[in-house]
Amino acid sequence: RMGATDRTRAPGRDASASASNTLARGGAGATSTGNNGSHGARGSSAPQPGVLKINPFKRAPSVPKTFAEDARGMLRRAIVAVQEQRATEVSYETLYRAVENLCVHKHGDSAYEDFSSGANARAREVLRALDGHTIGDNEVVLANFDRAFEEYCAQALTLRSIFLYLDRAVAHGASISGRLSLWDLSLKLFHEHLEKCQGVKTRVVRGLLHAIERERVGEHIDRALAKRALRALHALGVYGEAFEKVFIEASQEFYRKEGNEYSAQTDVSDYLKHCERRLSEESERCTNYLDASTARGLMRACEQGLIDAHIGDILDKGFVDLMRQHRIDDLHRLHKLLARMDGLDRLCRAFVTYLKQQGTAIVKDEENDKDMVERLLAMKTAVDEIVTKAFGRTAADGSNDIFINGVKESFESFVNCRQNVPAQLIAKYIDSKLKTGNKGATEEELEVTLDKALMIFRYISGKDVFEGFYKRELAKRLLHGKSASIDAEKSMISKLKAECGSQYTQQLEMMFKDIDMSREIMHAFRQSIQENAALPKGIEMNVNVITSGSWPQYSTVDVKLPEQLAMLQENFQEFYLNKHSGRKLTWQNSQGQCVVKAQFANGPKELFVTLFSCVVLMQFNAKPTLTYKEIASESGLEEKQLKHTLQSLACGKTRILNKEPKSREVNDDDVFEVNSALSERHFRIKINSIQVKEQAEENKQTLEKIFAGREHQCDAAIVRIMKTRKTLSHALLVSELLAQLKFPTKPSDLKKRIESLIEREYIERDRDDPQKYNYLA
């Protein structure tokens, strides 16, 4: 028989047919013996039950001399029939077996050459036909190429199935080695003839470029056709060299022109949307029919033409408007686009520049100082929303993020561009929120407001200025009973303590302790005077005993109190000093408040006034009309304080006194009388003192005390550093001082403090080097 021990059966062939055919073709067969076998080999022993014995051929099988030529001829005719889409002379099974037999009997190379010759002829024929079709638009060219290549591939696959045994032999190197697989050979031959027919390749590439350009301008194209054509180029190994390089260059030019045109014709918002849409389209194009290797170069071409070339124009012309109009979506789009180009540093610089410009304008707008904090808070809220929603940053990103650092840098820059003023205004803003007059706000809303105010407070470099003014306003709220909520007050102290440490709030906490202690003292005092019949009845007095070192320093103002008040004051002083020997009480009359009951033509009223106003009004019980000099003599007030008091009573919105002659100023020859025709409808009337001049003077005094405190802090820091280092140069000493001090200062101011300590012999200049200082023990 012809064949080998290892045969591959053709599809559809059953085992029984294979066995019978083999025996028929082989001539000499084997004899099997079994239980019912009657014939056996000559000279063999008796058959054993259940044993199959195979005897060798009596002579070696022979192959017909024309076997190879006949088989090759049959296969060549079959190749032509398949390529011409005709039926083959014999079945595919017979053709497959012919290939198998050729390979088994060492004629595989001949079969390979026959396959190669047939594929080569077909590839040449197909491409010459395509090269001859020069008429037709680009879509027709693509369709013709797609159809021709698809048919060629289908024929190659059919022939490969016939030559499958040969293909496996090539793959496994059984009898043929160093050859391409039949499929790769088919593609290689097509590629070689495509390179010879450059016109075909050029027209196909041009057709693809034209189709993609049409799609970019909104036309509908056959994406499936484009995908098949591109895959054909990729399979043939010419995708990168013939198409991708030219396509990327064409895309660069397309987007360069489009970027120039659109940037000139549209605003920034529309341009950003256009860029985003184009990038999305190109990404979709890569997914749908372009090869994955093209994506990076194509997206880069789009980004360079639309974004990179116009980053400067976008940031210069449109970024400010996007920020002012709070266009979160557009800013997010801009951030996302620039992130693709490593352009976030440029975006951050534009962002910081804008914040500094806007913030500086707010802080330096002196005419609207009363609204500064509200405007800064509104700006901070808007900026935080942009950083979070548009730029995708959160607090978890921390100080390593350029945008979070940019916000911090910007606010620190402009909040401190007017020295001390923002600190004062923030203290007053918090005071306005914690006062009893702040109606309509729940405790939760108040907490949120305080947290927002602290956001601005964090950026202040001179926190001691804030402390000074906050302490002053807190003292007024506590002493005059104007605090809306003690819990809110203590919550604010806790927030400040968390921000600046316990030492920063030590005196503020002490103020609360003094108020609590004063309540206990007053409770004991009222119990002690219940049985004292000599004291005036109907008058309630409340005294707050405060520690001088923890509270703001008040100037002592002498005044002649009415007899009833003077008696109560003396009695309290005696009670307190008896209980706390060794202490000294100083009465701060400027902080006194009184409720005076008065009778007018339209009924009784209760007047909420200062202690000085009470002293003046009580004089009119004895005489209905008084001159300025009489009031000054009876009250004992200094001229400046008395004139301010009379202005608030006779020249304010609610006039308790009438003044002759009428004017806004109080003169020495003025005459005053009670305004019996007072028409105020409310029973309780609050008389505010004239604040304008007093406020300016008070602010000045507070700042002077703060600056004096800074001098002491500088002196202490210098001595502390020199005590540790013993000897130090001027430059290093100043450097360490600037690092340790928590308020802004100048090297020239530090030099003055150093000179002061030299004069007081805490340190001395080095005798050999005047730029060095030595510590004196």
Side-chain angles (χ1 to χ4, degrees):
R1 63 185 174 87
M2 294 184 294
T5 56
D6 183 13
R7 289 206 317 272
T8 303
R9 294 193 182 101
R13 184 180 179 192
D14 58 49
S16 60
S18 175
S20 61
N21 289 342
T22 302
L23 290 174
R25 292 163 54 197
T31 302
S32 63
T33 61
N35 292 334
N36 55 358
S38 59
H39 300 282
R42 183 177 301 174
S44 63
S45 61
Q48 299 297 322
V51 176
L52 177 64
K53 185 175 181 181
I54 307 299
N55 292 323
F57 288 109
K58 293 180 179 180
R59 57 185 177 83
S62 60
V63 178
K65 294 181 180 180
T66 61
F67 153 69
E69 253 338 289
D70 293 343
R72 291 181 64 189
M74 180 175 60
L75 289 172
R76 283 195 291 268
R77 290 191 298 274
I79 290 172
V80 174
V82 169
Q83 291 174 345
E84 293 178 354
Q85 298 181 358
R86 294 185 289 104
T88 56
E89 297 175 355
V90 295
S91 67
Y92 285 180
E93 180 182 355
T94 303
L95 294 171
Y96 175 89
R97 191 59 59 198
V99 174
E100 178 185 7
N101 290 331
L102 285 172
C103 291
V104 168
H105 293 284
K106 311 301 181 183
H107 294 287
D109 286 335
S110 299
Y112 191 89
E113 293 300 327
D114 290 340
F115 182 92
S116 177
S117 298
N120 185 60
R122 184 58 180 170
R124 181 172 59 251
E125 180 184 352
V126 169
L127 285 166
R128 283 182 178 177
L130 287 175
D131 200 21
H133 289 84
T134 57
I135 302 175
D137 59 15
N138 293 306
E139 190 169 357
V140 172
V141 171
L142 286 180
N144 290 337
F145 175 79
D146 174 57
R147 182 169 56 254
F149 184 73
E150 186 176 6
E151 290 177 357
Y152 178 83
C153 289
Q155 294 163 8
L157 288 173
T158 301
L159 294 174
R160 178 181 176 273
S161 66
I162 294 173
F163 285 78
L164 185 60
Y165 192 94
L166 173 66
D167 201 30
R168 289 175 177 170
V170 171
H172 293 93
S175 59
I176 303 173
S177 60
R179 301 289 186 96
L180 294 173
S181 68
L182 300 183
W183 174 252
D184 290 341
L185 175 63
S186 301
L187 294 178
K188 176 177 177 291
L189 294 171
F190 196 95
H191 171 252
E192 289 175 354
H193 287 286
L194 181 64
E195 291 298 322
K196 295 176 182 177
C197 300
Q198 286 293 324
V200 176
K201 185 168 68 172
T202 302
R203 288 196 297 273
V204 170
V205 171
R206 186 167 59 239
L208 287 168
L209 295 177
H210 181 70
I212 294 173
E213 186 171 350
R214 283 172 49 216
E215 188 180 41
R216 282 173 174 166
V217 297
E219 295 185 30
H220 177 74
I221 67 167
D222 188 348
R223 284 188 168 186
L225 173 61
K227 183 176 184 178
R228 291 194 301 271
L230 288 167
R231 286 190 174 182
L233 295 180
H234 191 275
L236 294 170
V238 298
Y239 179 88
E241 169 265 328
F243 172 77
E244 185 177 72
K245 182 179 179 182
V246 179
F247 173 63
I248 296 298
E249 292 175 354
S251 298
Q252 289 174 340
E253 181 63 18
F254 177 85
Y255 284 118
R256 185 189 66 79
K257 291 181 179 178
E258 186 177 80
N260 292 335
E261 292 175 2
Y262 267 76
S263 63
Q265 296 172 1
T266 61
D267 61 14
V268 170
S269 177
D270 291 339
Y271 186 75
L272 293 175
K273 292 176 183 176
H274 175 75
C275 293
E276 188 177 50
R277 184 174 62 254
R278 281 301 194 193
L279 288 169
S280 176
E281 289 174 357
E282 295 301 339
S283 178
E284 183 183 1
R285 190 167 289 118
C286 292
T287 303
N288 286 333
Y289 57 86
L290 293 175
D291 189 74
S293 62
T294 309
R296 184 174 182 180
L298 176 59
M299 301 307 288
R300 185 63 180 169
C302 183
E303 291 165 354
Q304 287 179 335
L306 295 179
I307 305 171
D308 195 31
H310 302 282
I311 290 179
D313 292 338
I314 292 171
L315 296 178
D316 293 341
K317 297 178 181 178
F319 180 71
V320 171
D321 290 336
L322 296 182
M323 289 292 296
R324 285 177 179 168
Q325 297 169 20
H326 203 60
R327 305 279 286 274
I328 297 291
D329 291 340
D330 288 330
L331 288 169
H332 175 66
R333 195 171 287 115
L334 175 61
H335 176 274
K336 185 168 65 174
L337 292 174
L338 293 188
R340 305 174 69 106
M341 306 298 302
D342 296 328
L344 293 185
D345 286 338
R346 296 181 67 178
L347 176 61
C348 186
R349 287 196 295 271
F351 180 62
V352 169
T353 300
Y354 170 82
L355 293 183
K356 287 182 178 180
Q357 291 174 348
Q358 295 299 112
T360 303
I362 293 173
V363 174
K364 290 192 174 182
D365 186 6
E366 298 183 15
E367 295 181 359
N368 295 305
D369 273 353
K370 64 179 189 302
D371 299 325
M372 179 195 292
V373 178
E374 288 281 6
R375 293 168 69 188
L376 288 176
L377 289 176
M379 178 181 174
K380 184 64 168 64
T381 301
V383 169
D384 286 346
E385 186 177 6
I386 289 171
V387 170
T388 302
K389 294 183 179 180
F391 300 158
R393 268 45 178 196
T394 62
D397 293 316
S399 59
N400 294 327
D401 184 74
I402 57 174
F403 289 98
I404 293 176
N405 284 336
V407 172
K408 182 175 181 291
E409 174 197 340
S410 303
F411 273 79
E412 286 178 348
S413 173
F414 61 72
V415 164
N416 297 293
C417 67
R418 276 180 73 191
Q419 194 174 15
N420 305 323
V421 175
Q424 298 177 36
L425 295 177
I426 293 171
K428 290 179 181 178
Y429 174 81
I430 295 175
D431 172 65
S432 69
K433 298 301 178 184
L434 291 174
K435 276 183 178 178
T436 52
N438 182 29
K439 298 179 180 178
T442 63
E443 291 185 5
E444 292 77 10
E445 292 172 342
L446 182 58
E447 284 293 319
V448 171
T449 301
L450 296 179
D451 288 335
K452 288 182 177 180
L454 278 176
M455 289 192 301
I456 308 300
F457 167 78
R458 292 187 185 104
Y459 301 119
I460 297 174
S461 58
K463 289 184 171 58
D464 55 340
V465 176
F466 172 87
E467 180 193 6
F469 282 90
Y470 184 82
K471 183 196 289 186
R472 190 185 75 185
E473 301 302 329
L474 174 62
K476 291 180 181 179
R477 294 196 300 274
L478 294 179
L479 294 177
H480 302 160
K482 291 182 178 180
S483 181
S485 168
I486 293 298
D487 290 338
E489 294 282 5
K490 291 183 177 180
S491 173
M492 185 63 196
I493 299 298
S494 299
K495 295 178 192 296
L496 292 173
K497 188 174 183 178
E499 289 290 332
C500 305
S502 58
Q503 187 175 359
Y504 187 80
T505 59
Q506 185 177 4
Q507 292 184 353
L508 302 178
E509 291 173 328
M510 192 65 190
M511 293 167 69
F512 283 94
K513 291 181 181 178
D514 286 346
I515 294 299
D516 292 337
M517 186 64 70
S518 296
R519 291 195 187 98
E520 297 177 6
I521 292 172
M522 286 307 302
H523 179 70
F525 173 69
R526 290 191 180 99
Q527 288 182 336
S528 70
I529 64 173
Q530 285 181 354
E531 299 178 358
N532 192 341
L535 292 176
K537 304 299 180 183
I539 298 178
E540 295 183 8
M541 182 179 73
N542 186 68
V543 179
N544 287 309
V545 182
I546 60 178
T547 307
S548 59
S550 301
W551 291 70
Q553 298 298 312
Y554 302 108
S555 57
T556 303
V557 180
D558 293 328
V559 62
K560 294 179 182 179
L561 295 177
E563 183 180 354
Q564 302 94 321
L565 292 179
M567 189 180 299
L568 284 171
Q569 189 183 82
E570 291 174 6
N571 198 275
F572 177 84
Q573 184 162 340
E574 181 182 353
F575 164 81
Y576 183 80
L577 295 179
N578 287 337
K579 199 170 184 179
H580 302 281
S581 60
R583 295 187 181 181
K584 180 182 178 181
L585 278 180
T586 301
W587 293 93
Q588 300 294 342
N589 296 317
S590 61
Q591 301 304 307
Q593 297 285 315
C594 297
V595 179
V596 179
K597 295 182 178 179
Q599 187 68 39
F600 294 93
N602 64 346
K605 304 288 182 183
E606 285 188 356
L607 308 178
F608 290 80
V609 295
T610 64
L611 176 60
F612 299 147
S613 295
C614 175
V615 170
V616 172
L617 290 174
M618 293 292 283
Q619 294 181 34
F620 287 90
N621 286 332
K623 190 176 180 181
T625 302
L626 294 171
T627 64
Y628 171 81
K629 293 181 179 180
E630 290 173 334
I631 295 173
S633 175
E634 290 295 325
S635 65
L637 288 169
E638 60 183 23
E639 180 181 359
K640 181 180 179 181
Q641 187 63 59
L642 178 58
K643 287 187 175 182
H644 282 166
T645 301
L646 289 173
Q647 273 186 318
S648 63
L649 292 172
C651 304
K653 182 179 179 181
T654 302
R655 300 184 179 183
I656 306 302
L657 302 177
N658 288 328
K659 182 176 79 71
E660 290 293 338
K662 298 184 182 299
S663 64
R664 299 292 299 176
E665 299 296 330
V666 174
N667 299 311
D668 294 349
D669 55 354
D670 287 346
V671 178
F672 300 87
E673 65 177 357
V674 177
N675 180 16
S676 58
L678 182 70
S679 59
E680 182 67 35
R681 293 184 296 106
H682 296 92
F683 175 70
R684 292 182 176 87
I685 304 172
K686 179 175 176 58
I687 307 300
N688 294 316
S689 59
I690 303 299
Q691 294 287 333
V692 179
K693 294 181 180 178
E694 290 182 358
Q695 191 77 28
E697 185 65 27
E698 195 175 28
N699 290 346
K700 182 180 178 181
Q701 292 176 0
T702 302
L703 287 173
E704 288 175 353
K705 292 171 185 175
I706 291 169
F707 294 150
R710 285 183 176 181
E711 290 182 354
H712 297 320
Q713 291 183 52
C714 285
D715 292 350
I718 293 169
V719 172
R720 185 169 57 249
I721 293 170
M722 291 303 302
K723 187 175 182 179
T724 303
R725 303 291 290 273
K726 303 304 181 184
T727 299
L728 204 62
S729 67
H730 177 79
L732 288 176
L733 177 59
V734 170
S735 177
E736 288 204 25
L737 285 170
L738 292 174
Q740 289 190 17
L741 295 174
K742 297 181 179 180
F743 50 82
T745 186
K746 299 176 182 177
S748 57
D749 295 331
L750 295 178
K751 186 176 181 181
K752 292 178 182 178
R753 302 317 308 159
I754 293 171
E755 295 292 343
S756 173
L757 290 173
I758 291 174
E759 291 177 3
R760 288 180 282 167
E761 297 183 352
Y762 283 93
I763 58 177
E764 66 175 2
R765 292 188 187 277
D766 190 85
R767 295 179 180 179
D768 298 328
D769 186 356
Q771 290 298 315
K772 283 188 178 181
Y773 304 109
N774 299 321
Y775 176 71
L776 297 176

